[in-house]
């Protein structure tokens, strides 16, 4: 990925939009440069305070994506954001009074509460700052608003607070309905895909998946964090030694006698000793098959996880490739400019006179006339 500079960060924040791809791309870049988390969070806060109201929500979606996906690699972002979120929620509550914005932020706080991202007490404080400041800002921002509502600022403040709470409850209910629907869909899909060993990565959706909203997956529920190459190599190596490739056990199962699986063979038993021997064989076969089935089930789970890792790794590599292609195009343009400048310099040099062809002026010229010679020449 490209090197970190504060100017590069500000440029990426300026280009950020509300699409899932834009948010996840910048989130991956920030997580990659997590050693600069302190500078990144301060810059993020400063820029959030200067952007229009709709983009403030996009900034919050970005922060949520970074906070949740950086937990595996370290707690840096969680700690850094916790230091500024109180001021951020106060700022948004004071400057913004959109029901949609407040409801979406309330939904983010609900997700943090459900997943234990932050302490419930801190989340409660941020929620109070968001709605208290929104009420105060809306009531005190214009005296005309108070006069329109009957000249009672307190009544107007209560109405706005009621609307924001109602919007938050509505957004929370929608989130719970989507979560329930997504859970039922995953269960149904998982049951239908268990009948085939080639179900692929869709046999079980990753934990971060969600139902689409407004045409795309909500950016605050990302697909997943790409694995490190070492993790992926380890998982691939583990699959190579999986149960399905254990030829020894498969051969043992293939060579099991027919008598242990055919009920009709029981009638052919002649004495008690043969019956006991058959029962012993059946018990051994049951143990063998149970153990092998358990290994196959574990392998299926590993393959599902591996498919998710490969998907996330592929997404990151595509993004890196896109960035590399963009840098390559930039360097090609710079090279073309340099070649053009080089040609101009060469043409300019070719038009300059050759100093070696000029006459020698150091010792071959006659001495200048004296003042007397000039006076005599005039007369």
């Amino acid at each position: 990925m490209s090197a970190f500079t504060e100017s590069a960060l500000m440029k990426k924040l300026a280009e950020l939009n509300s699409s899932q791809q834009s948010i996840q791309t910048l989130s991956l870049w920030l997580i990659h440069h997590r050693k600069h988390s302190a500078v990144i969070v301060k810059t993020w806060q400063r820029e959030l305070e200067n952007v229009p109201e709709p983009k403030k929500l996009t900034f919050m979606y970005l922060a949520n994506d970074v906070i949740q996906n950086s937990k595996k690699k370290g707690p840096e972002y969680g700690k850094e954001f916790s230091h500024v979120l109180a001021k951020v929620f106060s700022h948004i509550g004071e400057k913004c009074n959109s029901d949609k914005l407040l409801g979406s932020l309330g939904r983010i706080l609900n997700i943090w509460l459900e997943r234990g991202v932050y302490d419930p007490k801190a989340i409660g404080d941020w929620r109070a700052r968001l709605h208290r400041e929104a009420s105060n800002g809306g009531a005190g921002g214009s005296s005309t608003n108070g006069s329109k509502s009957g000249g009672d600022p307190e009544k107007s403040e209560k109405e706005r607070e009621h609307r924001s709470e109602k919007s938050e409850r509505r957004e929370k209910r929608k989130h719970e309905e989507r979560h329930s629907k997504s859970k039922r869909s995953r269960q149904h899909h998982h049951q239908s895909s268990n009948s085939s060993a080639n179900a692929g990565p869709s046999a079980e959706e990753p934990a971060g998946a969600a139902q689409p909203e407004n045409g795309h997956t909500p950016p605050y529920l990302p697909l997943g964090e790409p694995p490190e190459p070492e993790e992926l190599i380890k998982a691939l190596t583990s699959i190579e030694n999986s149960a399905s490739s254990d030829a020894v056990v498969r051969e043992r199962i293939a060579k099991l006698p027919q008598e242990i699986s055919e009920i009709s063979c029981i009638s052919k038993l002649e004495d008690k000793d043969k019956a006991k021997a058959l029962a012993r064989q059946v018990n051994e076969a049951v143990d063998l098959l149970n153990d092998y089935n358990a290994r196959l089930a574990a392998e299926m789970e590993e393959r599902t996880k591996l498919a998710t890792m490969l998907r996330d790794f592929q997404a990151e590599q595509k993004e890196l490739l896109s960035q590399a292609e963009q840098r390559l195009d930039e360097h090609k343009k710079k090279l073309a400019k340099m070649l053009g400048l080089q040609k101009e310099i060469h043409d300019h040099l070719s038009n300059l006179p050759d100093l070696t062809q000029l006459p020698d002026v150091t010792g071959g010229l006659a001495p200048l006339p004296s003042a007397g010679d000039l006076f005599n020449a005039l007369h």
Side-chain angles (χ1 to χ4, degrees):
M1 290 189 177
S2 57
F4 173 81
T5 61
E6 189 171 350
S7 59
L9 172 61
M10 293 176 63
K11 180 181 178 182
K12 289 180 180 293
L13 288 174
E15 297 172 349
L16 179 68
N17 59 63
S18 60
S19 68
Q20 176 186 353
Q21 181 180 1
S22 177
I23 292 173
Q24 289 185 346
T25 298
L26 182 51
S27 175
L28 288 174
W29 189 80
L30 295 179
I31 293 173
H32 180 75
H33 295 291
R34 60 188 179 278
K35 65 180 179 180
H36 303 286
S37 58
V39 176
I40 288 172
V41 172
K42 289 181 180 178
T43 305
W44 170 88
Q45 179 191 6
R46 185 180 67 246
E47 295 301 309
L48 179 142
E49 295 176 353
N50 296 325
V51 297
E53 181 173 312
K55 196 164 185 178
K56 293 184 190 295
L57 180 59
T58 304
F59 270 55
M60 290 302 300
Y61 281 156
L62 172 65
N64 176 69
D65 197 293
V66 172
I67 290 170
Q68 293 201 59
N69 281 305
S70 64
K71 290 191 294 185
K72 293 182 180 179
K73 295 188 176 182
E76 298 93 346
Y77 277 113
K79 291 181 179 178
E80 293 296 337
F81 274 107
S82 67
H83 297 155
V84 302
L85 282 174
K87 294 182 179 179
V88 168
F89 280 110
S90 294
H91 164 78
I92 295 176
E94 180 182 356
K95 300 296 183 181
C96 310
N97 53 13
S98 167
D99 288 348
K100 180 180 178 181
L101 174 61
L102 298 178
S104 297
L105 293 178
R107 183 171 52 185
I108 292 177
L109 291 173
N110 291 336
I111 292 174
W112 289 352
L113 184 62
E114 292 170 3
R115 299 184 179 183
V117 177
Y118 286 113
D119 183 70
K121 184 177 180 181
I123 294 176
D125 175 65
W126 298 338
R127 195 188 304 275
R129 287 173 179 268
L130 180 65
H131 295 293
R132 182 177 67 249
E133 295 296 336
S135 301
N136 293 339
S142 173
S143 59
T144 58
N145 291 341
S147 60
K148 288 181 181 179
S149 61
D152 189 352
E154 292 184 1
K155 182 178 179 181
S156 177
E157 178 181 344
K158 290 180 180 179
E159 289 177 353
R160 271 186 289 272
E161 184 175 356
H162 176 70
R163 285 199 304 269
S164 64
E165 291 177 355
K166 184 177 179 181
S167 175
E168 181 183 349
R169 288 195 299 269
R170 183 171 62 251
E171 292 293 339
K172 183 178 180 180
R173 185 170 61 255
K174 288 181 180 179
H175 169 68
E176 291 174 350
E177 290 174 356
R178 285 195 302 271
H179 180 72
S180 177
K181 183 178 179 181
S182 175
K183 184 178 181 181
R184 289 195 301 270
S185 176
R186 286 198 300 269
Q187 290 175 347
H188 174 73
H189 188 67
H190 180 64
Q191 291 172 358
S192 62
S193 61
N194 278 342
S195 58
S196 173
N198 297 321
S202 62
E204 183 179 355
E205 289 189 18
Q211 291 296 318
E213 179 185 19
N214 297 331
H216 66 277
T217 303
Y220 53 85
L221 292 176
L223 292 176
E225 181 181 359
E228 295 291 341
E230 294 79 8
E231 297 178 44
L232 194 57
I233 293 172
K234 185 177 179 181
L236 289 169
T237 305
S238 176
I239 290 296
E240 291 179 358
N241 302 322
S242 58
S244 59
S245 61
D246 192 343
V248 176
V249 176
R250 293 171 61 184
E251 186 176 359
R252 285 179 61 190
I253 294 175
K255 290 182 178 180
L256 289 174
Q258 185 180 3
E259 291 79 6
I260 67 172
S261 58
E262 292 292 338
I263 299 178
S264 59
C265 295
I266 297 177
S267 60
K268 298 179 181 180
L269 296 175
E270 299 175 353
D271 52 39
K272 189 175 182 179
D273 291 337
K274 290 184 178 180
K276 289 182 178 180
L278 180 60
R280 186 165 52 252
Q281 287 181 322
V282 170
N283 291 334
E284 291 176 355
V286 167
D287 292 339
L288 175 63
L289 290 172
N290 283 339
D291 179 67
Y292 190 62
N293 286 337
R295 291 174 59 195
L296 287 174
E299 179 185 345
M300 285 297 297
E301 186 177 350
E302 289 180 4
R303 287 184 180 275
T304 301
K305 293 179 180 178
L306 177 61
T308 303
M309 293 171 67
L310 287 170
R311 180 205 61 193
D312 296 337
F313 186 78
Q314 184 183 29
E316 183 190 35
Q317 294 305 309
K318 285 182 178 180
E319 172 59 25
L320 293 175
L321 177 61
S322 175
Q323 293 181 4
E325 290 174 346
Q326 184 178 359
R327 290 197 300 271
L328 178 60
D329 291 339
E330 292 176 356
H331 288 125
K332 284 182 177 179
K333 292 178 181 179
K334 291 180 180 179
L335 177 60
K337 290 182 179 179
M338 291 178 63
L339 292 175
L341 180 61
Q342 184 183 41
K343 185 176 182 303
E344 290 182 8
I345 294 174
H346 182 269
D347 294 342
H348 183 69
L349 288 175
S350 62
N351 293 328
L352 292 176
D354 188 357
L355 298 179
T356 60
Q357 301 298 325
L358 295 177
D360 185 10
V361 296
T362 57
L365 297 179
L368 294 174
S370 63
D373 294 336
L374 291 174
F375 180 79
N376 294 331
L378 292 174
H379 289 81

